């Protein structure tokens, strides 16, 4: 399968999508938030971009499921953990090589991601809607099973 053609650089995509730094690493732009703004809402969606040398540090959303969607660039290595065992999923378009365009992270599962090349653009959908109050970042240097 042919890789997704990319016609823009990571910096151009960041500017075009009006992305900003994310506390876990990388760049993001919220594209959708369900609800009236007074209640949590059913879901949220973001664009998320990681460049070479960047990673999404270990973190979890305690009370919501997160679905990752591959969009463009190089494949992404997504790690999901219950705190001990780690599952690795390669997001991308080379299905014959085991890559998948989508992955699900259960509520309260630890997750971390890194691009396997120059950059990766993905989307993340969280249900119920993402709230920073239910977001937890692991201590620096933490790894599952340690």
């Amino acid at each position: 399968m042919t890789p997704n053609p990319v016609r823009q650089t990571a910096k151009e995509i960041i500017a075009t999508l009006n992305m900003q730094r994310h506390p876990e690493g990388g760049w993001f732009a919220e594209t959708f938030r369900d609800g009236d703004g007074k209640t949590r809402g059913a879901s949220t969606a973001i664009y998320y971009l990681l460049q070479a040398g960047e990673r999404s540090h270990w973190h979890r959303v305690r009370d919501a499921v997160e679905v990752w969607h591959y969009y463009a660039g190089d494949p992404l290595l997504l790690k999901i953990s219950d705190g001990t065992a780690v599952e690795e999923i390669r997001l991308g378009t080379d299905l014959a090589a085991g890559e998948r365009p989508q992955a699900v992270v259960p509520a309260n599962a630890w997750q971390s991601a890194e691009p396997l090349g120059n950059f990766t653009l993905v989307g993340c959908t969280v249900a119920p809607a993402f709230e920073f109050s239910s977001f937890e970042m692991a201590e620096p240097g933490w790894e599952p099973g340690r």
Side-chain angles (χ1 to χ4, degrees), residues 22-94:
H22 197 290
E24 76 193 43
W27 299 85
F28 85 105
E30 187 172 278
T31 59
F32 174 76
R33 179 169 288 274
D34 179 58
D36 57 11
K38 296 175 186 166
T39 59
R40 184 167 184 178
S43 66
T44 50
I46 65 168
Y47 291 126
Y48 185 63
L49 186 142
L50 288 167
Q51 299 178 84
E54 294 180 325
R55 65 182 281 250
S56 165
H57 295 280
W58 284 104
H59 68 283
R60 63 183 169 183
V61 181
R62 289 185 295 269
D63 61 357
V65 173
E66 185 166 355
V67 182
W68 289 64
H69 314 266
Y70 173 83
Y71 293 142
D74 299 298
L76 177 102
L77 179 62
L78 175 64
K79 296 178 183 180
I80 303 169
S81 177
D82 61 3
T84 52
V86 177
E87 175 186 9
E88 294 186 350
I89 301 169
R90 286 176 57 110
L91 290 177
T93 58
D94 192 346

Side-chain angles (χ1 to χ4, degrees), residues 98-145:
E99 294 175 1
R100 296 295 178 255
Q102 188 179 86
V104 176
V105 179
N108 207 38
W110 291 99
Q111 57 183 300
S112 178
E114 59 188 277
L116 298 174
N118 291 327
F119 77 89
T120 307
L121 175 65
V122 295
C124 296
T125 304
V126 176
F130 178 83
E131 295 289 340
F132 271 105
S133 61
S134 63
F135 174 83
E136 179 183 0
M137 248 231 304
E139 295 293 323
W142 180 85
E143 293 286 332

